[in-house]
Amino acid sequence: MADLLTDRLPLFPFRGPDDDPFTPVAAADLRRLDGPVTRVRLPTGGWTWLVTRHADVKRMLRGDAFSADLTRPGFPLLRELPPQVRLGNRGGFIRMDGAEHLRLRRMLNPEFMIKNIRRIEPLIGDVVDDALDALAAAGPPADLVTAYALPVPSLVICHLLGVPYADHVFFQQRSATMLDRGADSARVRDAILGLRRYLGTLIEAKRTSGDPGDDLLGRLVSDRVRTGELETGELIGMAVLLLVAGHETTANMIGLSVLLLRRYPRAWQRMRDDDQAADTVVEELLRYLTIVRNGLPRQATRDVEIGGRLIRAGEPATALLSLANRDDEVFDDADTFDPYRQAQQHLAFGFGVHQCIGQPLARAELRIALTRLVRRFPDLTVTADPARLPRRESSIVYGVAELPVTW
Ligand code: HEM
């Protein structure tokens, strides 16, 4: 009986309309939703509550009524349990709950404080300028994803962690494979094992060295590993999480942002002329594009009411950030991209205990990467029809796989 009922539910995740890469859910799918908190069918079998309103998403993510531990039976999975979880998720605190999650997250807090990110802004600027020089030297045409959007955050995170510059291609390839839902599991497993082995060797070298280095991994080795607060295996897991969470996300935001900004000459101009205005535009880009499109999966640990529905202990629920960020109750004319909007209330970085720890870094990277690109190439043009660009629908973070440009 339950299965028959589940079969009739709309299948999640949804796709955007074919002709519009910026709209998260096609109108036909929206019409099939039975209210703001409703059940949808999952491709792995079973179903999940879909929570779509801004206030309800905040309520869901705020407290401790939901677990983020995807190894729990009945957790809402969009694909079978990824191999990295079977290989052990030590240190990967994005999927941990309670005190264990907090213990690891707190060790990283100082690294991502705004004042510390300000200190590395010149380094971000250098990485961006080098990438722009390389782009100019190679000459038009170019694929902006491979030539700019991917290498910038990848090099920044390598610097931040203390991973040698020469190894960034190795990282970029393996973390892209890790996130690609289309990649076969043997490739994903090899990518993860390769990353963990490499980081293990690097951390061990720092641990046994007289000078572990003044970078994120070096500081954690000195302050936490040597004091016995943190195990090497946990630090490896934290580093893998930072590499993956910190580079594909920002890369996809850069690519999609350029595609969108080229449609809005006023916004493009604001990015060029005014640094403070650029911060406002970046917030609106984060809201409008909401690249974690398929939302945040959770499982209720106790009975809880969300948006007038009772979600029972053990039931799966998904916070659909992309629709919450288009909620007319919070954002006037929410489906319109408005470069003058004060969009700070958006939920693109999630909410609650797991809210993105890297957001000050992401904001700085986006502002610097986008303003300098616009200033260096004011006449940059996208040469492909936006509706026909290959989309990363299968990846955890949404984006375009390529962006052909000329100038
Ligand atoms: C525009 C770029 C980014 C977006 C849209 C983004 C989005 C998110 C979201 C939605 C979450 C919440 C996940 C959940 O609750 O299950 C998250 C968590 C996280 N993000 Fe980001 N992120 C971005 C950039 C970064 C960067 C640059 C870093 C670090 C270098 C980073 C590191 C993390 C980490 C470590 C977590 C887990 C936090 C926790 O579980 O306590 N992210 N991010």
Side-chain angles (χ1 to χ4, degrees):
M1 183 68 178
D3 280 346
L4 270 180
L5 287 179
T6 303
D7 281 349
R8 288 199 211 127
L9 298 172
L11 180 64
F12 185 75
F14 303 127
R15 295 169 66 95
D18 286 342
D19 60 350
D20 175 4
F22 307 118
T23 294
V25 181
D29 283 323
L30 274 184
R31 279 195 295 274
R32 293 197 66 202
L33 291 183
D34 178 24
V37 180
T38 183
R39 296 196 315 150
V40 288
R41 187 159 52 94
L42 291 167
T44 47
W47 55 273
T48 185
W49 289 107
L50 203 59
V51 178
T52 60
R53 270 198 312 224
H54 193 275
D56 294 339
V57 164
K58 279 171 75 175
R59 190 170 144 67
M60 175 182 159
L61 298 175
R62 180 180 289 128
D64 59 359
F66 290 90
S67 167
D69 176 0
L70 49 66
T71 60
R72 294 166 63 105
F75 196 90
L77 298 172
L78 294 182
R79 64 171 182 180
E80 293 312 320
L81 213 52
Q84 69 263 41
V85 177
R86 270 184 248 116
L87 291 169
N89 187 38
R90 290 180 70 212
F93 59 89
I94 196 167
R95 296 288 158 242
M96 293 177 181
D97 297 327
E100 268 303 272
H101 161 259
L102 221 58
R103 177 177 77 87
L104 297 175
R105 179 173 167 123
R106 279 200 179 128
M107 293 186 196
L108 281 181
N109 274 341
E111 299 289 339
F112 291 98
M113 274 158 42
I114 292 179
K115 69 171 198 279
N116 289 334
I117 297 304
R118 289 234 169 86
R119 259 207 295 271
I120 64 157
E121 283 194 8
L123 177 127
I124 301 175
D126 289 347
V127 166
V128 163
D129 285 343
D130 286 350
L132 289 171
D133 287 345
L135 202 59
D143 171 22
L144 206 71
V145 170
T146 45
Y148 192 64
L150 272 172
V152 165
S154 166
L155 289 172
V156 170
I157 196 79
C158 283
H159 269 296
L160 200 76
L161 288 175
V163 167
Y165 214 73
D167 296 333
H168 81 272
V169 174
F170 176 93
F171 275 101
Q172 213 163 281
Q173 286 168 347
R174 276 153 193 81
S175 84
T177 308
M178 248 178 102
L179 278 180
D180 184 358
R181 288 179 199 276
D184 71 68
S185 58
R187 272 187 63 219
V188 176
R189 193 193 56 229
D190 289 348
I192 297 160
L193 288 176
L195 272 179
R196 291 190 72 95
R197 243 192 329 267
Y198 175 86
L199 284 162
T201 311
L202 186 70
I203 291 167
E204 192 52 24
K206 285 178 179 291
R207 201 180 62 80
T208 51
S209 136
D211 174 17
D214 190 20
D215 47 58
L216 189 150
L217 291 179
R219 283 190 291 274
L220 285 173
V221 165
S222 304
D223 301 347
R224 308 287 187 172
V225 176
R226 284 181 175 168
T227 56
E229 286 169 83
L230 183 65
E231 290 173 23
T232 305
E234 289 176 322
L235 182 53
I236 294 175
M238 284 162 88
V240 171
L241 171 59
L242 288 177
L243 276 168
V244 175
H247 116 236
E248 199 81 2
T249 42
T250 315
N252 283 1
M253 265 306 291
I254 294 173
L256 272 181
S257 296
V258 172
L259 186 62
L260 183 68
L261 287 170
R262 279 290 50 185
R263 278 200 185 172
Y264 292 86
R266 274 194 320 164
W268 184 261
Q269 217 169 325
R270 288 201 90 199
M271 295 299 274
R272 196 188 61 200
D273 299 339
D274 180 348
D275 264 335
Q276 267 184 347
D279 284 332
T280 308
V281 180
V282 164
E283 289 312 303
E284 173 66 347
L285 287 166
L286 285 161
R287 177 194 78 88
Y288 191 75
L289 297 170
T290 312
I291 52 165
V292 183
R293 247 196 193 189
N294 297 331
L296 306 177
R298 297 288 195 267
Q299 188 178 31
T301 54
R302 54 180 161 81
D303 289 1
V304 58
E305 196 221 283
I306 303 281
R309 297 268 195 177
L310 175 66
I311 300 183
R312 292 184 189 280
E315 285 184 348
T318 300
L320 197 57
L321 305 179
S322 51
L323 285 189
N325 275 343
R326 301 279 181 112
D327 186 339
D328 282 317
E329 294 270 313
V330 181
F331 305 103
D332 288 340
D333 202 5
D335 283 326
T336 302
F337 174 70
D338 173 3
Y340 293 89
R341 187 196 298 276
Q342 299 297 319
Q344 284 81 350
Q345 290 192 67
H346 70 74
L347 300 172
F349 289 119
F351 192 75
V353 287
H354 287 282
Q355 189 175 35
C356 182
I357 198 173
Q359 53 187 294
L361 175 63
R363 288 193 167 101
E365 287 184 298
L366 290 173
R367 174 173 37 80
I368 297 170
L370 292 172
T371 51
R372 293 198 186 189
L373 175 77
V374 170
R375 286 168 198 169
R376 184 81 169 262
F377 298 104
D379 299 322
L380 188 96
T381 319
V382 175
T383 53
D385 173 359
R388 302 182 80 92
L389 285 171
R391 303 180 193 172
R392 292 180 199 273
E393 308 256 19
S394 68
S395 180
I396 291 168
V397 284
Y398 176 73
V400 285
E402 56 189 62
L403 188 58
V405 293
T406 190
W407 56 88

